[in-house]
Amino acid sequence: MSWRNSYEKETEDLLVSWATDGEEAPEVLAELLRILGDTDRPESAAIGLRYARHRDPRVRAKVPDLLVVWGNPSPLPGAEARTTLLELAADEDGNVRAAAGGALCSTCDGSPEVTNAVVALLRDPVARVRAWMSETVTRCADRSADVADALYALLDEEDFPVRLNAAYALLRREDPRTAEAVERLGSLSRPGYEEDHRLSAIWSWEWNRKNS
């Protein structure tokens, strides 16, 4: 082990100990959990479960990242972690709900409970939650009709990035409403989107459709 790796491990050990011992200041604890969420520590899930019902939403919003092992695809979380993520997806705070939704999408297991949670977040009353979920669902393995219908409903949003995410997600699902979704986007030549992978996929889809 190099001195750098040793130093990083010692730092992580300190952070784990700090979180395990408890931290009174919510803003400090939230930042501590955020940092731990970027590590691969085996203790992360247990620490996340400990703070899942913390009184401060800033802390609860950092818990989902501790309950999943991020990857492509991400391994399914344990039963307790999964239950906790579903609870956080219905939290009173929008940022907590969005964070839980992202974690659920990364480990989507196709179960009715997870699908219902994802659909509810795509229809969330808070615009920023819908916007976050519209992007997250483009990487979600759930191909259920309910998720597709919720994505289709997002085509009514005023925010172009949300509509673009919805159209792109429908395209990836080979949904029969993709053509209508693309048409409802309007002009695809938009400043700032020249290198956008979603628009590139839509351009390719349209070319193949016209030349097949």
Side-chain angles (χ1 to χ4, degrees), residues 50-138:
R50 171 179 178 174
Y51 292 108
R53 294 177 179 83
H54 194 276
R55 67 185 185 281
D56 195 297
R58 292 172 295 180
V59 174
R60 298 197 302 276
K62 305 305 178 188
V63 168
D65 278 353
L66 296 169
L67 300 183
V68 297
V69 178
W70 295 96
N72 188 24
S74 297
L76 295 177
E80 187 176 6
R82 180 180 180 277
T83 298
T84 300
L85 286 173
L86 289 170
E87 291 176 358
L88 292 173
D91 194 90
E92 62 183 8
D93 184 84
N95 290 332
V96 178
R97 295 196 301 275
L104 285 172
C105 280
S106 76
T107 60
C108 197
D109 60 7
S111 68
E113 295 82 5
V114 172
T115 294
N116 290 340
V118 170
V119 169
L121 291 168
L122 286 168
R123 295 172 174 166
D124 197 273
V126 179
R128 71 176 183 276
V129 177
R130 297 195 303 273
W132 170 254
M133 287 302 296
S134 74
E135 179 178 355
T136 300
V137 169
T138 62

Side-chain angles (χ1 to χ4, degrees), residues 134-202:
S134 74
E135 179 178 355
T136 300
V137 169
T138 62
R139 302 183 294 273
C140 183
D142 191 312
R143 295 296 186 265
S144 67
D146 288 341
V147 169
D149 289 345
L151 286 166
Y152 181 78
L154 291 178
L155 296 170
D156 291 328
E157 296 277 336
E158 294 184 7
D159 191 25
F160 176 74
V162 173
R163 290 187 287 120
L164 176 57
N165 283 328
Y168 175 62
L170 290 171
L171 183 157
R172 294 196 64 184
R173 286 164 171 76
E174 299 181 349
D175 190 278
R177 296 165 291 186
T178 298
E180 180 186 352
V182 171
E183 182 178 350
R184 290 174 64 178
L185 288 177
S187 174
L188 299 182
S189 298
R190 293 176 178 261
Y193 286 85
E194 291 82 2
E195 304 296 329
D196 192 283
H197 71 280
R198 296 163 297 181
L199 282 181
S200 294
I202 291 173

